Amino acid sequence: MSPEVLNTPEYTVEVWDINGVFVMDISDLIATSLRITREVNTVEDISFAIDLVQFELRCASVGASPRSIIEPYRTDIKIRRNGAYLVGGQVVQANINFNQQDANKIEIKCTGYLNYFKDRFISDFYRDKTYAQMARQLITDAQSQPNLISNSHFYTDVGGWFAIDSGYIAWDANEGYDYPGSLYVSVTTGSNTFGGARWPEGLIAGVTYTLSFKAKTTTTGGNIYYDSGAGVAGSTAVSTTNWTPYTFTWTQAANSARIDIKTTGSMNFYLDDVKLTSSLDNPAYFDFGVTLGVDNASAGQAATRQRTYDLQNVKDGIVNLTKLENDNFDFEFTANKVFNIYARLGSDKPEVELVYPQNITSVRVTRDASTLANRIIGLGSGIGSERLETVATGYQSAAAYRIRERTETFNSVQEQSTLDANTFGKLNVYETMYEVPALTVEANHLDLDEVTLGDAITIRIDNSSFVNTINGMWRIMKMTINVDRDMNESVSLDVEAW
């Protein structure tokens, strides 16, 4: 890369509301430097300050309250660089500062859209998917109405369900709706007119509920019903050979403590994929507006992965999928809230050279073994003798540094194969000594139209034998951009060996 000074870029700061509607451009109100931090597979940070008086005047000119324009968790900030969107995030903090010695300001802090999902949790079982597909499913499920029935797929048992009348319920692995040969529930009716399965759930009078499920029977002669404790309703013919979807919506007439699915006539029937939602859980309350974009990673991944999630934090779940032993991937949230997945962000660009003391103003090389561990003891769910455990050892690292042990706890992991993958992923992180340069590039010398997050570039430190191992290809894992009021752009990079 040429060391010549580049043209000064143009940054634009836009305000958007919680519903995805553009509000105003506040670029001319910026009173301090604009700071943007982007990092591979983690959340972005944006911080800046605007002139309070000028902002209040701008809001008054459009007839809006300043508090309604900049409001944490209800306002998004999107940043353009030379007209193209670079990053977006939600406002999480606004500090209003009054100062007799300087202009009054609002200091605004934003975090990227990944942090939407730090406040969402998932309990589900994902099967026969790639890791990338699981990440996409987590995004989708976290923005959907919650299912009031926690055991809805019967992947391992019929826990939480009860037989009613003289029938009985059973778990069977021979047939199911979701996957051939997967798990399902069988309900056999007794001699009563009605028989079936019950899920205990508090239903509230006046609330609208929607019940959906898949069902099939082995005999004919009856109809399938739901009973919400306020009378039997919603009959329909039952398929004898095919899994058939059914959906019922009703407004609850009286308080109840259960929902039943049952049949008339003495016939066996099977249930799967049961979902009960409430109008109290308005779908809009759960929708962050994040949509699914490209998935360029699944084509190269195994499509037989499975995960059991029990109150899994969704943000952590997505990030953890990028740090496993095999089939790792990178992801991004665009400024327009599109979730994209790649086999890798960026590309190799050996022709881009950053050299100290030419276009690098400062560089710090840290060699740190304090976090090194080459024997990882992974602990999964369970207590005592029932707890899942595994051990991953890096023997080359052990030969060099002797055994260094570390425990890692994965409380939500219930499958041995999942625990193994997570533990070996941690071994990959910790078994080598931390030796990483952090550098700052001279202002307006790194072309961000040419170089982006995830790229591998050439870094060189001249005239030093102590750190000559640094000279070579390094991948950009973190990029911090500082833009002053004159639009001078300085860039700091954290990199890892490539």
Side-chain angles (χ1 to χ4, degrees):
M1 186 186 72
S2 171
E4 287 84 9
V5 177
L6 304 170
N7 292 330
T8 302
E10 179 181 358
Y11 278 82
T12 305
V13 181
E14 298 177 351
V15 178
W16 292 67
D17 71 14
I18 194 172
N19 298 312
V21 177
F22 173 77
V23 177
M24 64 173 59
D25 182 338
I26 58 172
S27 306
D28 59 325
L29 304 183
I30 302 295
T32 60
S33 63
L34 170 65
R35 181 182 177 90
I36 302 167
T37 301
R38 302 172 65 212
E39 189 169 355
V40 173
N41 297 336
T42 193
V43 68
E44 302 90 348
D45 287 300
I46 305 168
S47 61
F48 59 93
I50 59 176
D51 186 292
L52 174 61
V53 174
Q54 295 302 315
F55 176 65
E56 290 175 336
L57 292 173
R58 177 73 53 83
C59 292
S61 70
V62 296
S65 164
R67 290 172 62 93
S68 68
I69 300 299
I70 299 293
E71 184 174 1
Y73 275 17
R74 288 187 55 82
T75 300
D76 290 342
I77 297 295
K78 297 183 182 182
I79 309 294
R80 293 180 188 260
R81 182 183 184 276
N82 292 337
Y85 281 118
L86 177 66
V87 66
Q90 60 176 336
V91 175
V92 296
Q93 188 177 98
N95 297 319
I96 297 86
N97 291 320
F98 295 91
N99 189 333
Q100 293 183 359
Q101 307 301 319
D102 197 1
N104 299 332
K105 300 182 181 69
I106 309 175
E107 296 176 348
I108 298 171
K109 296 182 180 181
C110 311
T111 60
Y113 301 129
L114 175 62
N115 263 11
Y116 280 149
F117 299 97
K118 72 179 179 62
D119 302 320
R120 294 286 170 88
F121 294 82
I122 288 289
S123 295
D124 210 335
F125 179 79
Y126 293 162
R127 174 178 173 178
D128 292 345
K129 295 180 182 294
T130 68
Y131 290 145
Q133 290 168 344
M134 289 181 186
R136 288 163 61 90
Q137 194 67 51
L138 285 169
I139 292 290
T140 298
D141 291 348
Q143 296 183 99
S144 302
Q145 278 182 292
N147 189 355
L148 300 179
I149 297 176
S150 58
N151 188 5
S152 59
H153 296 292
F154 314 110
Y155 285 124
T156 58
D157 55 40
V158 293
W161 289 84
F162 299 91
I164 56 175
D165 298 329
S166 57
Y168 71 91
I169 60 175
W171 173 74
D172 196 312
N174 294 326
E175 190 170 3
Y177 170 77
D178 293 294
Y179 303 96
S182 69
L183 312 181
Y184 71 103
V185 63
S186 171
V187 184
T188 303
T189 63
S191 58
N192 293 343
T193 302
F194 300 105
R198 171 172 295 171
W199 179 263
E201 184 65 43
L203 305 181
I204 303 172
V207 174
T208 299
Y209 294 92
T210 296
L211 173 68
S212 63
F213 55 86
K214 311 298 190 304
K216 63 180 290 187
T217 64
T218 56
T219 60
T220 60
N223 294 325
I224 195 164
Y225 291 84
Y226 76 88
D227 181 353
S228 65
V232 176
S235 68
T236 185
V238 178
S239 167
T240 60
T241 58
N242 299 315
W243 285 102
T244 304
Y246 300 96
T247 300
F248 303 103
T249 299
W250 73 95
T251 299
Q252 187 69 12
N255 290 342
S256 173
R258 45 86 170 182
I259 182 73
D260 297 342
I261 301 173
K262 51 190 180 179
T263 63
T264 60
S266 297
M267 66 177 183
N268 298 337
F269 71 98
Y270 305 93
L271 290 176
D272 206 348
D273 196 20
V274 187
K275 185 171 185 178
L276 178 66
T277 60
S278 163
S279 61
L280 294 176
D281 295 321
N282 189 321
Y285 299 166
F286 297 88
D287 185 6
F288 287 126
V290 175
T291 59
L292 300 180
V294 300
D295 173 9
N296 292 336
S298 284
Q301 296 182 345
T304 56
R305 307 295 188 182
Q306 66 180 39
R307 283 289 183 277
T308 301
Y309 289 128
D310 183 16
L311 289 177
Q312 170 66 56
N313 179 275
V314 174
K315 174 188 175 181
D316 292 343
I318 293 170
V319 172
N320 290 343
L321 289 169
T322 71
K323 299 179 179 180
L324 301 175
E325 181 182 12
N326 299 303
D327 288 355
N328 292 326
F329 60 89
D330 293 334
F331 65 82
E332 69 168 357
F333 289 84
T334 72
N336 290 320
K337 301 187 182 180
V338 179
F339 180 66
N340 292 322
I341 289 179
Y342 307 95
R344 171 200 165 182
L345 276 171
S347 60
D348 291 348
K349 297 176 179 175
E351 72 280 3
V352 177
E353 290 190 334
L354 298 181
V355 182
Y356 180 84
Q358 297 182 26
N359 50 11
I360 297 177
T361 58
S362 66
V363 58
R364 179 184 178 89
V365 181
T366 300
R367 305 183 78 241
D368 183 3
S370 63
T371 61
L372 186 146
N374 46 40
R375 183 177 173 86
I376 308 298
I377 303 167
L379 307 176
S381 66
I383 299 175
S385 61
E386 297 183 355
R387 183 177 64 189
L388 293 178
E389 292 189 18
T390 194
V391 176
T393 303
Y395 292 103
Q396 288 186 344
S397 175
Y401 305 110
R402 302 298 185 263
I403 288 292
R404 309 282 178 163
E405 293 183 324
R406 178 187 180 98
T407 61
E408 289 286 337
T409 302
F410 308 94
N411 289 324
S412 64
V413 172
Q414 302 179 32
E415 303 288 340
Q416 186 67 48
S417 60
T418 303
L419 180 62
D420 293 343
N422 277 278
T423 303
F424 275 95
K426 290 294 184 181
L427 177 64
N428 292 337
V429 172
Y430 291 114
E431 67 176 330
T432 57
M433 183 169 63
Y434 182 87
E435 184 175 24
V436 175
L439 52 99
T440 300
V441 183
E442 192 171 349
N444 300 329
H445 275 69
L446 184 64
D447 188 353
L448 297 187
D449 291 329
E450 178 185 0
V451 180
T452 188
L453 193 68
D455 283 346
I457 62 175
T458 300
I459 295 176
R460 195 175 78 242
I461 300 177
D462 289 343
N463 304 318
S464 174
S465 60
F466 192 95
V467 292
N468 56 12
T469 56
I470 294 300
N471 299 340
M473 293 283 290
W474 293 80
R475 188 179 181 217
I476 301 171
M477 301 301 293
K478 182 178 180 181
M479 178 182 292
T480 301
I481 305 169
N482 283 284
V483 184
D484 66 21
R485 297 179 65 180
D486 295 322
M487 292 294 173
N488 292 308
E489 177 185 71
S490 64
V491 180
S492 298
L493 303 176
D494 288 4
V495 296
E496 70 175 23
W498 190 248

